[in-house]
Amino acid sequence: MFDLDRVISLLRQGRHITEETVYALCLLSQELLMNESNVTHVNTPVTICGDIHGQLHDLLTLFEKSGGIEKSRYIFLGDFVDRGFYSLESFLLLLCYKLRYPDRITLIRGNHETRQITKVYGFYDEIMRKYGNSNVWRYCCEVFDYLSLGAIINQSVFCVHGGLSPDVMTIDEIRSVDRKQEVPHEGAMCDLLWSDPDDVDTWSLSPRGAGFLFGGQQVQEFLSRNGVDLIARAHQLVMEGYKEMFDNGLVTVWSAPNYCYRCGNVAAVLRIDDDLSRSYTIFEAVQPQNDVGNTILPTRKPQMDYFL
């Protein structure tokens, strides 16, 4: 229906993709993703990547610094869209890579891969600006519904976008969740995408308005009960690119450098090798181009910042 390699080349340049091509790409992606389980099994070595948030040029730097999709295996922990100016190109590029190299890239759903959030934080407006209608936004949102909720690496590392849930004691329970829907406002699926680690003794309601705060005790109980050594998650800005907590039982990985083009942070990815050793690659932001394709950098309108 379309030349996948040509589409990849256009997306890497931030060039315009026709609405018909986006539709076909999203349809093929849905067919591929619907066959994946809620918790995808991934083998080592693998590179874990945090939030991207539409920063296409930094996504390209991420691949450049970490080996590239042609040679390496990747897990992306969600939040591909919103806030940045290249959400569509970033998400579609990852979908193209998923179609080209299905065994080398795993895409996990983040809390921004929803209709409600993308209407507020930039993705919807970006598509309206680029296409003049919301069709492409609808096609992408239908793909969001098929993204996995987590991944397990060599039965030792559990990957999720946000964190834990008081409604989920085991990874097997996540496998029974009906993920093919808009993210609910509460419950296990919501918590996996919205929760955060914090210095708390018990489950506490999150100030984000969704999900929970959880502490070291909840992490250790989850690790022990499921026989895993590490929880790798994203969801929170970390100025140093990554942050290990709770006796190294949990790590937050953040992969959007100079977040929102103003935070001044560096970014990181985490590589898990065959012996389960961890190594981090740190990288800085590149200056986004404003002279490519239909990617116009608009004056950003104020947004409701539930959290950076």
Side-chain angles (χ1 to χ4, degrees):
M1 290 183 287
F2 57 89
D3 184 338
L4 185 58
D5 290 328
R6 179 175 180 275
V7 173
I8 289 173
S9 177
L10 289 173
L11 289 169
R12 288 177 60 90
Q13 300 172 63
R15 300 287 178 181
H16 182 78
I17 305 299
T18 67
E19 185 177 315
E20 294 75 18
T21 300
V22 176
Y23 176 75
L25 175 58
C26 287
L27 203 60
L28 288 173
S29 299
Q30 282 178 249
E31 293 172 357
L32 179 62
L33 292 168
M34 71 172 60
N35 293 316
E36 295 192 346
S37 63
N38 285 358
V39 182
T40 306
H41 285 266
V42 181
N43 295 322
T44 54
V46 62
T47 298
I48 301 171
C49 311
D51 294 26
I52 300 301
H53 279 301
Q55 297 182 200
L56 174 66
H57 301 87
D58 299 315
L59 174 60
L60 298 178
T61 299
L62 182 157
F63 282 121
E64 178 186 328
K65 298 288 187 181
S66 58
I69 190 68
E70 297 82 6
K71 300 178 181 178
S72 305
R73 192 178 291 118
Y74 290 87
I75 297 174
F76 283 85
L77 300 178
D79 280 12
F80 316 109
V81 301
D82 283 338
R83 301 199 190 272
F85 298 127
Y86 300 82
S87 289
L88 179 64
E89 292 81 6
S90 299
F91 182 57
L92 293 183
L93 179 61
L94 291 174
L95 289 186
C96 285
Y97 282 154
K98 180 69 177 176
L99 291 171
R100 171 61 75 214
Y101 309 103
D103 296 328
R104 290 190 196 158
I105 185 167
T106 298
L107 303 176
I108 293 175
R109 192 172 190 173
N111 67 302
H112 277 260
E113 277 70 62
T114 71
R115 293 159 183 83
Q116 182 177 6
I117 295 297
T118 53
K119 272 285 190 78
V120 177
Y121 292 99
F123 186 43
Y124 178 86
D125 292 338
E126 175 184 323
I127 287 176
M128 289 297 294
R129 205 166 54 242
K130 293 174 178 177
Y131 290 88
N133 65 68
S134 63
N135 291 341
V136 166
W137 174 77
R138 290 191 294 105
Y139 304 152
C140 291
C141 288
E142 289 166 4
V143 177
F144 294 162
D145 291 343
Y146 287 88
L147 294 170
S148 294
L149 301 179
I152 187 80
I153 302 171
N154 283 23
Q155 303 298 327
S156 296
V157 180
F158 174 61
C159 300
V160 67
H161 176 70
L164 303 181
S165 170
D167 293 336
V168 173
M169 297 295 106
T170 67
I171 294 173
D172 279 339
E173 290 172 10
I174 301 173
R175 295 188 174 100
S176 66
V177 173
D178 177 14
R179 79 174 191 265
K180 298 178 180 67
Q181 58 173 315
E182 176 74 345
V183 177
H185 294 292
E186 59 184 11
M189 183 174 173
C190 171
D191 298 342
L192 292 169
L193 273 58
W194 279 92
S195 294
D196 292 301
D198 205 342
D199 185 19
V200 293
D201 295 326
T202 187
W203 298 102
S204 304
L205 290 176
S206 172
R208 293 182 189 264
F212 288 84
L213 300 180
F214 58 94
Q217 180 178 337
Q218 288 73 44
V219 168
Q220 292 305 320
E221 288 175 356
F222 185 88
L223 294 176
S224 176
R225 186 177 289 114
N226 291 278
V228 295
D229 302 317
L230 174 67
I231 298 169
R233 44 92 64 177
H235 193 42
Q236 282 178 301
L237 170 63
V238 181
M239 295 301 291
E240 298 80 17
Y242 70 95
K243 181 180 181 181
E244 295 181 335
M245 301 175 67
F246 310 134
D247 297 323
N248 298 332
L250 178 143
V251 62
T252 298
V253 181
W254 185 264
S255 301
N258 193 29
Y259 181 41
C260 294
Y261 311 113
R262 62 182 171 88
C263 286
N265 60 288
V266 298
V269 294
L270 166 60
R271 179 181 168 90
I272 306 291
D273 283 309
D274 287 331
D275 61 359
L276 299 180
S277 62
R278 311 175 198 175
S279 58
Y280 296 93
T281 298
I282 308 296
F283 61 99
E284 297 183 348
V286 297
Q287 184 66 33
Q289 311 294 312
N290 62 359
D291 59 349
V292 294
N294 64 332
T295 308
I296 303 167
L297 301 188
T299 300
R300 293 185 65 85
K301 66 181 183 181
Q303 296 175 341
M304 296 184 296
D305 284 338
Y306 65 85
F307 261 97
L308 285 176

